[in-house]
Amino acid sequence: MEGAGYRVVFEKGGVYLHTSAKKHQDPDSLIAGVIRVVEKDNDVLLHWAPVEEAGDSTQILFSKKDASGGDSCPSEEEPTFDPGYEPDWAVISTVRPRPRHSEPTRGAEPSSPRGSWAFSVSLGELKSIRRSKPGLSWAYLVLVTQAGGSLPALHFHRGGTRALLRVLSRYLLLASSPQDSRLYLVFPHDSSALSNSFHHLQLFDQDSSNVVSRFLQDPYSTTFSSFSRVTNFFRGALQPHSEGASPDLPLAPDDEPEPGFEVISCVELGPRPAVERAPPVTEDEWAQHMGPEGRLQRVPELKARIFSGGLSPSLRCEAWKFLLGYLSWEGSAEEHKAHVRKKTDEYFRMKLQWKSVSLEQEQRNSLLHGYRSLIERDVSRTDRTNKFYEGPENPGLGLLNDILLTYCMYHFDLGYVQGMSDLLSPILYVTQNEVDAFWCFCGFMELVHGNFEESQETMKRQLGQLLLLLRVLDPPLCDFLDSQDSGSLCFCFRWLLIWFKREFPFPDVLRLWEVLWTGLPGPNLHLLVACAILDMERDTLMLSGFGSNEILKHINELTMKLSVEDVLTRAEALYRQLTACRELPHNVQEVLGLAPPAEPQSPSPPASPLPLSPTRAPPAPPPPADTVQQPDSSLEILPEEEEEEEEEEEEESADS
């Protein structure tokens, strides 16, 4: 069914609301209705409305403001703050207005008690969906929103829950909860989700002057530069949901291990060693490593020096090209010149690809037009307080724009995602050459491109690895964060996404990155840097009795107040403390690069935090053919199996 501005893609009658808590419902407590999935104005809505005797059952009610200008009356409980993003386009959000009940149709009296039960909710506002247990008189679904509230349970007296879930799976990713196979966690299912989410999360909004006042008005929507909006997304993937415990199931004993996690004793770490940083590598010291024909010698020793002391500013322009893979450590001076000539020609050929696109062509290329618009907006606010980028007609801004657009030609699959301009800015500042900056940026992106991929699996894995390290280093701090609903460490998301670019002063970022690029002492030093910051702030967090809001606010206020030398010193000390432990769990050794990764037992990586495992457990024997395998701690995509069986159960229950 289609109408002006909307299209009904699914409709099912016989869907009732039970307004009484009694076991046996009387007829007056049952409200018959119709459930619909509606595409309207670039949004997809789930809508339920009662079947009114005098009303038109085909009418569609919407709680959102209609494009034609029709207003809907917000409830008194709805927040009035401006969240800083357009709700219709937001992909990941923690704080959303509560779903509003729809206004009655013209065919129903405004005061009709049945009409007041109608509701409409955007699919983007759903957090989880719970199905009823099989064997009940009829199936029902309970929808939980991002705001934490539950919509009225929908009882399907004529069956149809699986059909509805199949339709929803076209627009959403439904993942079975590891704790409750009847609970489905809801994730966005959009090809442009990551780019849109980073933009509308406003993770990189530089205007933080009013963050305190906005925090006092509504802490969740404003803390950590609007960063708390990602919390529920990762909390849903990394931690069990509080609403995941079914009231129909008996509670597990306290000593029963969580599925997929091993019960182990705490790892005993030795004393933390003292670490001293060395002075930066100078031009004279670099020249001592330069051999005949301009080849660098004793490269491991040189990398170790860069790790322990960094580089002097005058040396960065040359040394960064080696650290980022633009120039080979083994190449001669002549080979480097030939390589630069080749790469210069390659760069300008890619740049010409988008430069030669006419305005008319771009209007028919929505992807390129979208990249250009996003890049122009981000470049205009990237490091504008730095003298290299300040001023309205600064040529550095034009170079940032050109390099990022050319990168879209270089990496078609990834394109541009908000945050990349933050990674390019220091590189261009150091090299002050368009071609050199581009290829150094490509080298950096080879290290962190997974951070910007649509699936966000890399970010979830890093947060899990960070939690694993912190669990070994400081179990009391982890327990405290868990008790404050912050155990998923989502407040560290921006740290890992752009490698602490917004946490340190600009000169300190240059020092931090060149140390991290050495790859020493292991592949994940940036995770230890995050551990070091949390270790420095542990007493403030724990002794002050901060709740989740205060934790986010405190982490946000650390911006530009950290000393990179102190953090690097502590991070190296943590590494040495961990590596000195003879009983270090194997998966911790994997994170630190001390042991090869375990052979994957399934084609899909785990989506939950890695459990501590002191020893590599032997593979479990396959279950007998006549037994059903229990769900593990990973998320399962909504299976296509059991559809016919469960639909038959629903139909039989409805007939009875």
Side-chain angles (χ1 to χ4, degrees), residues 489-506:
L489 305 180
C490 290
F491 50 83
C492 302
F493 183 93
R494 187 175 69 179
W495 294 0
L496 307 183
L497 178 70
I498 53 175
W499 277 28
F500 308 92
K501 167 62 164 54
R502 292 297 179 95
E503 319 314 319
F504 292 93
F506 196 87

Side-chain angles (χ1 to χ4, degrees), residues 323-608:
L323 290 171
L324 290 170
Y326 178 33
L327 300 181
S328 170
W329 292 96
E330 294 80 19
S332 65
E334 289 300 322
E335 291 171 343
H336 290 159
K337 290 180 180 179
H339 179 74
V340 169
R341 286 194 297 268
K342 175 184 175 182
K343 287 298 183 179
T344 300
D345 180 65
E346 185 177 347
Y347 171 78
F348 283 108
R349 279 191 285 108
M350 289 187 292
K351 183 176 181 179
L352 185 62
Q353 292 175 359
W354 63 265
K355 278 281 191 180
S356 60
V357 175
S358 66
L359 181 61
E360 291 76 17
Q361 286 179 302
E362 185 174 325
Q363 291 176 350
R364 295 187 293 270
N365 189 332
S366 58
L367 186 61
L368 178 60
H369 180 73
Y371 286 151
R372 186 190 294 272
S373 300
L374 185 57
I375 289 172
E376 288 177 355
R377 181 170 60 248
D378 289 352
V379 165
S380 65
R381 59 191 184 190
T382 298
D383 290 326
R384 298 307 303 275
T385 58
N386 188 302
K387 291 184 178 180
F388 188 75
Y389 298 108
E390 67 181 3
E393 302 295 333
N394 192 295
L397 301 180
L399 292 179
L400 283 177
N401 181 85
D402 290 359
I403 293 172
L404 292 172
L405 274 172
T406 306
Y407 185 78
C408 294
M409 301 293 104
Y410 173 80
H411 201 315
F412 284 102
D413 292 337
L414 185 59
Y416 177 81
V417 180
Q418 191 172 24
M420 291 183 181
S421 61
D422 277 280
L423 302 185
L424 173 60
S425 169
I427 295 176
L428 180 60
Y429 170 83
V430 167
T431 61
Q432 301 196 14
N433 178 279
E434 181 178 2
V435 176
D436 293 345
F438 173 81
W439 291 112
C440 287
F441 174 70
C442 291
F444 195 4
M445 288 302 300
E446 285 296 314
L447 299 175
V448 299
H449 70 87
N451 294 1
F452 300 93
E453 290 178 348
E454 178 186 340
S455 67
Q456 300 186 350
E457 285 298 322
T458 299
M459 289 302 302
K460 288 185 284 187
R461 183 179 68 251
Q462 289 181 86
L463 287 172
Q465 292 172 335
L466 176 58
L467 180 60
L468 179 64
L469 293 176
L470 196 63
R471 178 68 65 182
V472 175
L473 289 166
D474 198 338
L477 177 58
C478 282
D479 293 340
F480 168 76
L481 294 174
D482 284 336
S483 68
Q484 302 302 322
D485 203 20
S486 300
S488 60
L489 305 180
C490 290
F491 50 83
C492 302
F493 183 93
R494 187 175 69 179
W495 294 0
L496 307 183
L497 178 70
I498 53 175
W499 277 28
F500 308 92
K501 167 62 164 54
R502 292 297 179 95
E503 319 314 319
F504 292 93
F506 196 87
D508 285 0
V509 171
L510 308 183
R511 174 59 47 81
L512 174 65
W513 283 4
E514 63 198 15
V515 170
L516 295 177
W517 289 336
T518 64
L520 300 174
N524 289 307
L525 180 61
H526 65 296
L527 299 181
L528 289 171
V529 169
C531 289
I533 297 175
L534 294 175
D535 184 68
M536 295 168 68
E537 299 299 320
R538 75 179 304 275
D539 290 343
T540 302
L541 295 174
M542 298 179 67
L543 298 180
S544 300
F546 285 161
S548 58
N549 293 346
E550 291 80 11
I551 291 173
L552 289 170
K553 182 174 182 291
H554 178 75
I555 294 298
N556 186 49
E557 291 175 346
L558 295 177
T559 301
M560 303 300 164
K561 297 179 181 178
L562 299 169
S563 167
V564 70
E565 291 296 332
D566 292 344
V567 171
L568 286 173
T569 299
R570 191 170 300 229
E572 185 178 354
L574 293 175
Y575 177 84
R576 294 186 184 181
Q577 184 182 25
L578 288 170
T579 54
C581 177
R582 296 184 177 181
E583 299 179 354
L584 196 64
H586 187 274
N587 47 6
V588 178
Q589 297 181 39
E590 293 176 359
V591 174
L592 299 177
L594 303 177
E599 291 293 332
Q601 297 184 7
S602 62
S604 58
S608 57

Side-chain angles (χ1 to χ4, degrees), residues 306-322:
I306 298 174
F307 166 75
S308 63
L311 295 162
S312 60
S314 59
L315 188 55
R316 285 183 176 134
C317 182
E318 180 180 0
W320 278 26
K321 299 174 187 177
F322 292 90

